[in-house]
Amino acid sequence: MALISVDRERGLLTVEFQGLDKLWTLKSRLEIPLAHVRGATHDPGMAREPKGIRVAGTHFPGYITAGRFRQGGERLFWDVKNPDKAVVVALADGGTYDRLVIEVDDPRATVALIERSIERG
């Protein structure tokens, strides 16, 4: 699972991976400029979609999808074990990723935090 926070002063969305997720994703954190964040949705169905080609990370179908994937030219970063808690963060072109698919403790609160942060942008 990951913790998502927003630092308005620095203009960053930060995703911090917890516990073994650091090992599965091969990352301890991601920092995305808020200017690159287009929006966020709670989307449990996304975790059931095809993942594409794993570039780096872990994929055990039905258990965990974590790390970098490419699907149809799109660059995705995954960290999901429980699809019901999946949040999809859409990012602007030109960044490292096109979308983040991240499991969080409270998807609705996380989506609200991200949406409020980019509205004030």
Side-chain angles (χ1 to χ4, degrees), residues 109-120:
T110 301
V111 168
L113 170 69
I114 294 169
E115 290 294 321
R116 276 193 315 269
S117 297
I118 62 175
E119 285 174 3
R120 295 180 191 161

Side-chain angles (χ1 to χ4, degrees), residues 11-25:
L12 290 175
L13 173 89
T14 302
V15 182
E16 292 192 50
F17 302 102
Q18 305 296 301
L20 287 175
D21 286 13
K22 291 178 186 180
L23 175 67
W24 306 132
T25 63

Side-chain angles (χ1 to χ4, degrees), residues 6-120:
V6 172
D7 183 337
R8 300 276 309 139
E9 189 173 298
R10 294 177 51 214
L12 290 175
L13 173 89
T14 302
V15 182
E16 292 192 50
F17 302 102
Q18 305 296 301
L20 287 175
D21 286 13
K22 291 178 186 180
L23 175 67
W24 306 132
T25 63
L26 305 175
K27 295 258 185 209
S28 60
R29 72 181 351 196
L30 295 174
E31 290 185 337
I32 310 290
L34 281 175
H36 292 177
V37 178
R38 293 186 0 221
T41 58
H42 175 212
D43 190 354
M46 176 67 180
R48 293 174 182 88
E49 296 293 321
K51 309 304 182 263
I53 298 170
R54 179 172 38 116
V55 176
T58 307
H59 182 61
F60 295 116
Y63 178 67
I64 187 170
T65 304
R68 296 179 354 204
F69 289 75
R70 293 205 43 109
Q71 181 182 17
E74 194 174 32
R75 299 157 302 164
L76 300 124
F77 190 92
W78 287 81
D79 184 27
V80 176
K81 287 180 272 186
N82 180 353
D84 293 333
K85 294 188 173 197
V87 169
V88 179
V89 180
L91 303 172
D93 295 335
T96 305
Y97 304 107
D98 297 302
R99 287 190 287 173
L100 309 177
V101 186
I102 306 292
E103 178 184 337
V104 296
D105 187 45
D106 187 342
R108 291 181 188 174
T110 301
V111 168
L113 170 69
I114 294 169
E115 290 294 321
R116 276 193 315 269
S117 297
I118 62 175
E119 285 174 3
R120 295 180 191 161

